[in-house]
Amino acid sequence: MKVAIAGSTGFIGRNTVAKFAKEGIEVHALLRNTSEVEQKRKVLENLGAKPFIVDYSTPSSVAHALSEVDVLLHVAGASSQSVHTNFEESNVLLTKNVVTACLLANVKKIVYNSGLGVNQETTQCYFISKYRCEIIIKQSGLEYVIFRPSYIVGVGDEFSEYLLQNILGDKPIPIFGSGEYRIQPVFVDDVTEIYLRCVKGVAGWNKTFDLVGAKIVSFKDYITLLASALHKKPVFSYVSLEEALRDAMRPSSERKTNPYMSVDELDVLISDFVSDATPLERAFGLKLTPLEEIVKRIAYHFSKRS
Ligand SMILES: NC(=O)c1ccc[n+]([C@@H]2O[C@H](COP(=O)([O-])OP(=O)(O)OC[C@H]3O[C@@H](n4cnc5c(N)ncnc54)[C@H](OP(=O)(O)O)[C@@H]3O)[C@@H](O)[C@H]2O)c1
């Protein structure tokens, strides 16, 4: 079986490349021609993939990487905007071009990462772009599976790493607003196993799944769980949403109270979308890793490196 991965250099992409290559799948790893391209290409080769440098603004360039590919896993795109990256280009247009490339190269199936909470009534910029990507895919004539993930966490995810660094250094962790909004972290190892079963057709096609973890927790409780895995107590520093938002609008070098969340990421964090994990477990025939076990593993690898 041959699978192409768009977004192969990202957190989810890298983990999936490693998993698929280990399982004997031939992986075409798509990456952009950025300043770090050679370094990224080597990492992908070492993971066992065949790297292809593509220009996502040109469907024929992407199609070139899709020769005899059975399924395209599309996990490329941005979760924040800047003057260099806007969602229309980095998500919507990119997805349109990736879909056109599949049609040009005769690839029949696509698997896509949308976002938990995306729906036709959505008003938030990131979710609007994801909704439009879903429509492009559904109307393309390709067979598809669309995943709507909550936070995908694991060894090396930036979100958990930032929190762990602060916890380990006894530094205060900014809590935006109440911190009581809920998230449903799902382990990246479960995600790559689900993708594997998905590309093999285990759950069938033309379906949409919420990709969520086994347990719903508040943002604050997630941090407390991470801290307890390091035998620590977190120090919280409460920041009003007004201040966090204002800070997110400043250049990162000038931020005071919110060093790590863009406006778009803050929107998603407080959106409080959660779901039922049972349909996912049933469709893919697996039991999701308990949250306590996930944080133990992330914290263990983090403290080994620190
Ligand atoms: N991680 C999560 O918890 C989560 C949750 C819900 C949804 N998702 C979605 O899942 C996908 C992958 O997430 P991730 O966490 O792996 O993201 P990531 O680490 O930021 O990786 C993004 C990937 O997309 C590629 N890319 C191509 N064009 C891009 C563009 N114009 N702007 C930015 N990146 C571009 C990047 O390639 P380069 O190496 O060339 O930069 C990189 O491989 C994204 O669509 C994200 O919205 C993720």
Side-chain angles (χ1 to χ4, degrees):
M1 179 171 216
K2 211 185 261 189
V3 176
I5 303 183
S8 61
T9 58
F11 170 64
I12 299 167
R14 281 192 317 271
N15 278 283
T16 313
V17 167
K19 169 83 176 181
F20 281 19
K22 235 185 258 165
E23 294 288 333
I25 289 180
E26 216 178 307
V27 181
H28 285 196
L30 279 53
L31 73 163
R32 296 186 293 172
N33 194 4
T34 57
S35 55
E36 295 164 326
V37 67
E38 276 316 312
Q39 193 188 327
K40 289 180 177 179
R41 193 216 295 254
K42 277 196 192 112
V43 170
L44 293 167
E45 272 171 355
N46 288 340
L47 290 176
K50 193 168 173 190
F52 285 85
I53 297 167
V54 300
D55 172 3
Y56 286 108
S57 66
T58 313
S60 59
S61 155
V62 180
H64 166 71
L66 303 184
S67 172
E68 290 174 12
V69 158
D70 299 294
V71 188
L72 174 85
L73 172 67
H74 171 17
V75 288
S79 53
S80 289
Q81 297 192 101
S82 69
V83 286
H84 308 294
T85 332
N86 64 67
F87 289 146
E88 187 57 31
E89 279 176 24
S90 61
N91 290 344
V92 182
L93 195 58
L94 186 147
T95 297
K96 213 178 259 174
N97 291 339
V98 159
V99 162
T100 306
C102 285
L103 298 171
L104 284 173
N106 209 22
V107 175
K108 303 253 187 297
K109 298 181 172 85
I110 187 165
V111 177
Y112 178 60
N113 247 14
S114 177
L116 186 66
V118 168
N119 66 70
Q120 61 196 16
E121 317 258 286
T122 206
T123 57
Q124 198 259 8
C125 295
Y126 170 74
F127 287 142
I128 291 170
S129 74
K130 287 289 188 185
Y131 179 72
R132 294 185 58 199
C133 294
E134 289 191 4
I135 297 295
I136 290 166
I137 288 167
K138 285 178 183 170
Q139 292 179 347
S140 66
L142 298 170
E143 291 194 274
Y144 66 86
V145 171
I146 292 171
F147 288 107
R148 291 176 172 163
S150 181
Y151 285 90
I152 298 176
V153 299
V155 177
D157 88 79
E158 279 180 18
F159 179 58
S160 306
E161 293 255 320
Y162 170 82
L163 299 170
L164 285 167
Q165 249 158 26
N166 281 26
I167 293 166
L168 207 60
D170 294 317
K171 290 194 194 133
I173 295 165
I175 299 289
F176 314 118
S178 69
E180 297 298 338
Y181 31 81
R182 297 162 302 164
I183 57 173
Q184 205 167 348
V186 55
F187 193 28
V188 71
D189 291 15
D190 290 340
V191 170
T192 58
E193 179 63 36
I194 288 168
Y195 288 161
L196 180 70
R197 294 180 191 199
C198 181
V199 298
K200 290 181 174 171
V202 164
W205 294 92
N206 302 330
K207 294 186 176 159
T208 302
F209 296 98
D210 288 342
L211 185 48
V212 292
K215 187 169 181 174
I216 295 169
V217 277
S218 70
F219 177 54
K220 256 172 65 180
D221 286 348
Y222 180 62
I223 298 169
T224 306
L225 266 178
L226 278 174
S228 64
L230 291 176
H231 309 291
K232 292 263 190 183
K233 266 202 152 163
V235 184
F236 295 131
S237 127
Y238 288 89
V239 179
S240 73
L241 271 182
E242 182 183 344
E243 180 50 30
L245 192 57
R246 189 178 300 127
D247 223 17
M249 291 181 217
R250 295 185 177 118
S252 49
S253 57
E254 290 171 25
R255 290 187 189 168
K256 296 179 187 107
T257 51
N258 165 16
Y260 76 113
M261 285 266 161
S262 69
V263 171
D264 308 293
E265 287 164 340
L266 194 58
D267 276 354
V268 171
L269 179 68
I270 64 165
S271 64
D272 197 49
F273 286 117
V274 291
S275 183
D276 177 8
T278 323
L280 184 77
E281 289 189 319
R282 278 213 192 109
F284 292 96
L286 94 174
K287 199 91 199 116
L288 292 161
T289 308
L291 186 58
E292 289 73 9
E293 179 62 31
I294 300 173
V295 294
K296 245 189 238 163
R297 287 208 226 164
I298 300 177
Y300 171 74
H301 284 276
F302 181 83
S303 52
K304 240 178 38 177
R305 263 186 291 127
S306 304

